[in-house]
Amino acid sequence: MANTSDTVLVIGACGQLGSELTLELRNLYGGSNVVAADISAPKQADLRDSGPFEKVDVLDTKVLADLAAKYKFKQIYHLAAVLSATGEKNPKFAWKLNMDGLFNVLDLALEQKVEKVYWPSSIAVFGPSTPRQNTPQHTIMDPNTVYGISKQAGERWCEYYFQKYGLDVRSLRYPGLIGYKALPGGGTTDYAVDIYHKALEGETFECFLSGNTYLPMMYMPDAIKATLDLMHAPAEQVKVRDSYNLSAMSFSPEEITASIQKHLPDFKITYKPDSRQQIADSWPQSIDDSAAQQDWGWKPAYDLDAMTADMLLNLKKMKEEQTLA
Ligand SMILES: NC(=O)c1ccc[n+]([C@@H]2O[C@H](COP(=O)([O-])OP(=O)(O)OC[C@H]3O[C@@H](n4cnc5c(N)ncnc54)[C@H](O)[C@@H]3O)[C@@H](O)[C@H]2O)c1
């Protein structure tokens, strides 16, 4: 259950996930109770206008402490990270931001007696030796991107803070997230957002993965629902304290193309795999999320065709509104 008088901090609020999660948190807790924090200013008017924004670098512990003293947060959602493809361009910085940022938030939560922390992990924690079909909750993990290594280490630290210090930190291993409101931030699954934009613009889409590359994916409303369901579950139901496997659908570029062609029959795709292919090939193709189903009742609402219909409808609406503005 949500305690709707809680004050909530979202770090990385202006990103692909944060810009939607923050709005949903504001619906639940009230606009002024949910502080959007990010190193960049919000671009979306609804995010800018619906509650407070604070410019914050999560690597700056003084700024974080001042912010916590000002607002007395009960919950922190820490979303700021360097993602998989971008991380490979500057691995040391990705490690620094992803790990030091997490430590800063966990330590702040302990010092300021924050009641609950949310930190997302990813399917990138898995690697080439992991079973790729129906990947279990507990299995071999040998990530080979700096992003995956930082997420795996982060998961261990979340569990450590829970076990040693009693901090109520919760986490999900998201698959690739697909939404229409914000553009993705440099991940290996970004093609599955870009493809809808190109399809609506009437352009041929050049895909950076090969046509038969299967990856686990999730539509943003499901990701938001899973996050809030986990955060609102009674603590005793949250039995996995590193990070929960989470699943909705798996598809290949060929299959998402066929799904789009049901609405836009002339849409065409070409393939030019780049370095992201190697990352995709090291990740699972499908995920076993039975622990999330059993512990706090997880169930996704969207499959590929339902997502495609909703994405195209909403992107079209957004583009029409932009033309009128
Ligand atoms: N999008 C996905 O497909 C996906 C999949 C699995 C996990 N995740 C995880 O979910 C979280 C959010 O991902 P996203 O897709 O929204 O990422 P994103 O790149 O779109 O957004 C990250 C946000 O963090 C901000 N940020 C960067 N450095 C910062 C700093 N030093 N201080 C404060 N803010 C900073 C950025 O400005 C950006 O707005 C990340 O932890 C990511 O690893 C995302």
Side-chain angles (χ1 to χ4, degrees):
M1 281 291 288
N3 182 350
T4 50
S5 63
D6 277 5
T7 41
V8 181
L9 171 64
V10 185
I11 304 172
C14 301
Q16 191 200 6
L17 172 63
S19 55
E20 299 208 36
L21 182 60
T22 305
L23 290 181
E24 201 48 45
L25 286 165
R26 284 180 173 160
N27 283 338
L28 285 172
Y29 292 89
S32 59
N33 278 341
V34 179
V35 176
D38 202 293
I39 204 163
S40 328
K43 291 191 196 84
Q44 290 170 229
D46 50 2
L47 186 59
R48 215 171 33 232
D49 300 340
S50 55
F53 172 75
E54 298 274 357
K55 200 170 165 80
V56 165
D57 180 350
V58 73
L59 296 177
D60 188 335
T61 48
K62 166 124 189 18
V63 170
L64 286 178
D66 290 349
L67 199 68
K70 181 173 166 191
Y71 289 100
K72 312 252 179 300
F73 298 113
K74 289 277 172 54
Q75 301 182 37
I76 301 180
Y77 290 72
H78 169 40
L79 313 177
V82 177
L83 270 64
S84 58
T86 312
E88 293 310 290
K89 293 181 189 144
N90 190 347
K92 293 271 169 61
F93 177 71
W95 178 256
K96 184 173 172 54
L97 178 66
N98 294 3
M99 295 315 298
D100 290 356
L102 176 60
F103 279 125
N104 291 349
V105 170
L106 295 176
D107 290 337
L108 181 80
L110 284 182
E111 281 157 26
Q112 305 280 342
K113 303 201 174 7
V114 172
E115 288 171 7
K116 268 189 268 182
V117 176
Y118 179 74
W119 173 81
S121 184
S122 158
I123 55 162
V125 293
F126 300 115
S129 308
T130 304
R132 295 189 76 199
Q133 307 296 338
N134 223 15
T135 302
Q137 176 69 43
H138 299 289
T139 184
I140 299 168
M141 295 160 99
D142 58 347
N144 58 9
T145 59
V146 68
Y147 175 70
I149 298 169
S150 72
K151 289 293 185 187
Q152 189 194 23
E155 287 189 3
R156 302 314 311 146
W157 278 108
C158 286
E159 173 142 359
Y160 188 92
Y161 271 66
F162 173 72
Q163 299 290 355
K164 302 278 171 174
Y165 310 127
L167 183 66
D168 189 354
V169 44
R170 306 178 181 199
S171 178
L172 296 170
R173 289 175 184 150
Y174 293 128
L177 301 182
I178 297 161
Y180 58 88
K181 288 200 175 157
L183 289 171
T188 303
T189 53
D190 290 7
Y191 89 85
V193 178
D194 298 339
I195 194 169
Y196 288 109
H197 288 262
K198 284 284 182 303
L200 275 178
E201 281 153 19
E203 290 179 32
T204 297
F205 178 67
E206 186 180 272
C207 186
F208 58 73
L209 297 180
S210 64
N212 60 357
T213 307
Y214 273 84
L215 285 169
M217 302 276 190
M218 179 173 285
Y219 195 32
M220 195 60 87
D222 274 336
I224 306 276
K225 184 179 177 303
T227 308
L228 296 176
D229 284 356
L230 174 69
M231 285 299 274
H232 296 152
E236 62 277 10
Q237 281 179 19
V238 183
K239 295 187 181 126
V240 173
R241 288 295 181 160
D242 49 359
S243 190
Y244 276 98
N245 274 7
L246 192 69
S247 168
M249 61 182 105
S250 290
F251 57 79
S252 64
E254 281 165 359
E255 287 178 353
I256 191 174
T257 301
S259 180
I260 292 171
Q261 284 168 339
K262 289 179 191 166
H263 302 261
L264 301 164
D266 295 335
F267 174 60
K268 287 196 176 51
I269 185 167
T270 58
Y271 300 100
K272 195 176 175 199
D274 66 16
S275 58
R276 288 169 279 193
Q277 182 70 46
Q278 210 186 344
I279 300 178
D281 289 342
S282 76
W283 286 356
Q285 296 186 329
S286 60
I287 299 284
D288 173 2
D289 65 359
S290 46
Q293 292 174 35
Q294 280 154 23
D295 291 356
W296 42 275
W298 165 242
K299 194 170 181 280
Y302 288 86
D303 63 12
L304 174 57
D305 281 340
M307 174 175 78
T308 296
D310 203 63
M311 275 294 282
L312 291 175
L313 185 78
N314 282 292
L315 269 181
K316 204 165 158 221
K317 239 192 264 173
M318 263 177 55
K319 285 179 196 295
E320 281 164 7
E321 281 163 14
Q322 279 160 8
T323 321
L324 287 174

